[in-house]
Amino acid sequence: MADVAKAAGVSPALVSIVMRGVEGASEETRTRIKSIADEIGYVPDRRAQKLRQTSSRLLGVTFDLQQPFHGDLVEQIYGVAERAGYDVMLGAVAPTRDEASAVRTLVHERCEAALLLGSRMDATELGSVDRAVPVVSLLRTSGVDGIGSVRGDDVAGVGSAVEHLMSLGHNRIAHIDGGSSAGAQDRRQGFVDAMARHGLSAPVVDGGITETEGAQGMRLLLDSTDPPTAVVAFNDNSATGVLDHLLRRGIDVPGDISVVGYDDSRLARIAHIQLTSISQDVAALAEAAVQEALARIAGESARDVVLAPTLVRRRTTGRPR
């Protein structure tokens, strides 16, 4: 800033006024200072500016790099936050970086609230974070009084997948679950309840969030004594693993086995996949999550927001042979 001021022949205070976009400089002066700043490559130090502010205007978001749907949701959160006058800081969770490390980064950077996507923290851990910065749990209930959540109705979502397959004539339907992932318990319960309504057994095999885990689950089902004619996978990522394993075994989809994913992520919409999936409205989830975060920042009580998912049919489901 001092370099810009020297080159423009003005005070650093006037340069600051121009860069912050506040009143106190003519349009001619603003144009000249910005032109000089561009010429010498000056970039305002946003971190230093935030340190001088009472409010950082930052929302922190943790997300799992292995989950495509998290990427879709983060993209929407950026837009909603910007409209509210906030920036977004990301804390990535990966096999080599745990959730606690991602959350610590958000706290250290003075985020005003933390939006945790699919958090695996227990009640004690969530409570500890919430004492440092208001927490909003996305895609699962928090299980903690005073910590709100924004999620889809996973029980109803998987139930609609079962009803769709039943309407096509399937009655041997299996579920590859999500292990300990956020939402896995509700999706298991939704599957078991929906099958019970039709008086059918509800085979569930261990799975997870990855393609590899989906493929392993499908292998177990095919090697069983009574293979299914349809499968509901925990998420779209797992479902792509199911599809890959079926392709390698020479099994036609949907002629021999129908497959339903969950999330309606960008994976489901790829031209050569065209996966039938349960859609969570990412725009509505992002809007509700940011509004809940802003409410917590303002000192309002936490809420639990549950949104209804919908089934999107594509080419991976059909009538059984």
Side-chain angles (χ1 to χ4, degrees), residues 72-264:
D72 294 347
L73 188 49
V74 166
E75 181 180 354
Q76 293 293 324
I77 288 172
Y78 266 112
V80 180
E82 183 178 2
R83 290 193 294 274
Y86 275 76
D87 288 332
V88 172
M89 171 158 287
L90 300 181
V93 180
T96 56
R97 188 172 192 254
D98 62 19
E99 186 178 3
S101 298
V103 170
R104 280 196 298 272
T105 298
L106 304 184
V107 173
H108 290 165
E109 294 295 337
R110 300 177 63 242
C111 292
E112 294 185 45
L115 285 65
L116 310 184
L117 275 61
S119 176
R120 296 195 181 194
M121 289 185 167
D122 61 27
T124 300
E125 292 169 322
L126 284 173
S128 177
V129 176
D130 192 64
R131 285 190 290 274
V133 59
V135 167
V136 179
S137 176
L138 272 72
L139 310 181
R140 58 158 279 195
T141 56
S142 70
V144 181
D145 290 339
I147 298 180
S149 64
V150 176
R151 60 189 176 89
D153 188 339
D154 287 331
V155 172
V158 168
S160 68
V162 171
E163 295 301 328
H164 167 64
L165 293 168
M166 293 289 295
S167 73
L168 293 173
H170 295 275
N171 54 32
R172 299 204 319 275
I173 307 169
H175 176 49
I176 300 174
D177 78 2
S180 61
S181 300
Q185 182 175 345
D186 283 349
R187 293 179 194 182
R188 277 193 299 270
Q189 191 62 53
F191 178 73
V192 171
D193 291 349
M195 295 294 281
R197 287 196 292 270
H198 293 277
L200 298 170
S201 62
V204 177
V205 299
D206 292 338
I209 65 173
T210 67
E211 295 179 31
T212 299
E213 289 163 322
Q216 289 172 344
M218 192 68 249
R219 178 179 55 78
L220 291 174
L221 289 170
L222 290 177
D223 292 343
S224 66
T225 56
D226 189 23
T229 63
V231 172
V232 180
F234 170 71
N235 64 5
D236 293 342
N237 213 25
S238 171
T240 58
V242 170
L243 294 173
D244 181 67
H245 187 76
L246 292 173
L247 176 64
R248 293 174 186 276
R249 295 275 288 260
I251 297 172
D252 181 61
V253 176
D256 297 319
I257 295 181
S258 287
V259 179
V260 180
Y262 204 106
D263 291 333
D264 194 32

